[in-house]
Amino acid sequence: MATPLIVSFGEMLIDFVPDTSGVSLAESTGFLKAPGGAPANVACAISKLGGKSAFIGKFGDDEFGHMLVNILKKNGVNSEGVCFDTHARTALAFVTLKKNGEREFMFYRNPSADMLLKESELNKDLIKKAKIFHYGSISLISEPCRAAHMAAMKTAKDAGVLLSYDPNVRLPLWPSTEAAIEGIKSIWNEADIIKVSDDEVTFLTRGDAEKDDVVLSLMHDKLKLLIVTDGEKGCRYYTKKFKGKVPGYSVKTVDTTGAGDSFVGAFLVSLGKDGSILDDEGKLKEALAFANACGAVCTTQKGAIPALPTPSDAQQLMKSKSK
């Protein structure tokens, strides 16, 4: 059976990460250039785990843009959905790594090429070939990219493709907190699968993310699976038929960048191979345990894409931690 295609839509950018952890941007004396952008990280994660992925997005026709597209290609990601803008630059983000490996962001996007993707530039044939279409919420912030995002979702939906949504809240990019909540929720009810972090549950509901009834307020009729990631504690899953927890893996965390994307990529590879995991709790728990391991491995190295695990990296961690 041919490996199913998973298409990821949205932004890819350059993260500038201080070469010393635990210092502010102002204090940092040097920065390492790292490819970033959640949807692109997910595409690379899928490919590194033996899946088949494609990325759709727009880059500046500049050195950084071409560098990023080359990184996609080197990581085995199909780039037929990529286009370039001769007038706008590729987006940049300066990322501060705090002592605990958590991050703060400062973005340069005014406007960047990814925000200027138009519906007419979408490779709709590529979307129609997918088994899963994955996206975030950053592409919803401004036009014309928002219209392109909506059109891409419609194309996928009409072709019977599963819709996977990881909102990936980046508050500094939205005009206000209210605009972020409204924008993120504007497409909520279209998705088949949604992955949110515990912090995002708190942000979107203003409630306690630990409580099931708060999480369940995010369920909707068409939603086949809601996943809440709880960092190193693991994740929780909610479907119409069952709910539960899958424990995480404790590792020495260096940098949390890309961990959620590694988790999502791993889960989508499992889902692509076997759609029945959405109805079979045993299979779902196995897929989520593997995704937890992939997320954990990713935190043990700096950067997102360079730290993405192979299947054997994840399996090794699972073996070493199994009682």
Side-chain angles (χ1 to χ4, degrees):
M1 198 177 99
T3 308
L5 175 66
I6 302 168
V7 173
S8 207
F9 172 92
E11 71 287 346
M12 187 177 192
L13 59 151
I14 307 259
D15 285 341
F16 284 95
V17 187
D19 53 12
T20 317
S21 291
V23 296
S24 69
L25 292 177
E27 290 163 344
S28 179
T29 52
F31 293 89
L32 300 165
K33 197 172 69 196
N41 292 344
V42 169
C44 291
I46 289 163
S47 183
K48 202 155 173 190
L49 290 167
K52 187 173 160 194
S53 67
F55 179 76
I56 293 179
K58 197 173 195 181
F59 298 81
D61 189 5
D62 49 39
E63 279 201 39
F64 285 155
H66 290 281
M67 179 196 112
L68 290 174
V69 175
N70 284 332
I71 287 168
L72 287 174
K73 289 176 182 169
K74 270 193 200 118
N75 281 276
V77 176
N78 173 320
S79 60
E80 288 165 28
V82 158
C83 57
F84 292 94
D85 192 301
T86 49
H87 302 294
R89 294 279 189 219
T90 301
L92 309 177
F94 285 83
V95 186
T96 315
L97 277 185
K98 295 195 240 169
K99 291 226 170 13
N100 62 357
E102 288 297 331
R103 303 151 300 161
E104 281 173 358
F105 295 88
M106 184 164 83
F107 293 94
Y108 283 70
R109 298 168 88 236
N110 52 327
S112 52
D114 60 287
M115 299 159 73
L116 301 176
L117 179 70
K118 299 193 283 280
E119 182 182 349
S120 59
E121 295 169 316
L122 285 176
N123 185 334
K124 290 187 176 173
D125 289 337
L126 190 61
I127 297 170
K128 288 174 191 167
K129 284 184 205 152
K131 181 167 180 182
I132 303 167
F133 181 65
H134 176 74
Y135 47 87
S137 70
I138 289 170
S139 39
L140 297 170
I141 296 172
S142 53
E143 296 293 1
C145 189
R146 181 184 164 84
H149 182 137
M150 302 305 278
M153 274 174 51
K154 187 178 184 325
T155 301
K157 197 87 172 166
D158 291 351
V161 179
L162 275 174
L163 299 187
S164 161
Y165 184 25
D166 176 357
N168 231 311
V169 177
R170 294 285 178 267
L171 205 48
L173 293 178
W174 291 87
S176 66
T177 300
E178 291 67 36
I181 293 171
E182 193 182 325
I184 287 163
K185 286 191 167 171
S186 69
I187 58 165
W188 199 261
N189 293 351
E190 300 300 317
D192 296 296
I193 297 134
I194 294 175
K195 174 253 161 194
V196 277
S197 69
D198 47 358
D199 290 344
E200 288 166 342
V201 172
T202 303
F203 175 73
L204 292 168
T205 63
R206 300 279 199 258
D208 181 350
E210 306 261 313
K211 294 189 172 154
D212 273 354
D213 57 338
V214 172
V215 175
L216 288 166
S217 71
L218 294 171
M219 286 293 281
H220 63 77
D221 287 349
K222 293 181 202 161
L223 195 60
K224 296 179 171 70
L225 173 66
L226 175 64
I227 302 170
V228 179
T229 54
D230 292 308
E232 62 177 25
K233 288 189 291 192
C235 66
R236 288 170 276 163
Y237 57 88
Y238 301 82
T239 73
K240 290 192 184 77
K241 295 184 198 150
F242 44 75
K243 61 183 172 78
K245 278 181 189 182
V246 181
Y249 297 89
S250 184
V251 292
K252 189 177 181 335
T253 295
V254 174
D255 175 9
T256 58
T257 309
D261 305 324
S262 178
F263 174 96
V264 170
F267 180 73
L268 294 181
V269 167
S270 299
L271 179 63
K273 283 185 196 151
D274 183 1
S276 76
I277 67 174
L278 297 175
D279 303 302
D280 181 324
E281 191 170 8
K283 282 185 186 173
L284 178 63
K285 287 179 97 152
E286 273 173 40
L288 291 171
F290 178 66
N292 281 343
C294 288
V297 171
C298 188
T299 69
T300 60
Q301 272 190 69
K302 264 195 186 170
I305 293 170
L308 293 169
T310 60
S312 64
D313 293 333
Q315 281 146 5
Q316 225 173 324
L317 175 64
M318 292 170 85
K319 275 199 193 102
S320 73
K321 300 283 180 180
S322 62
K323 304 286 181 283

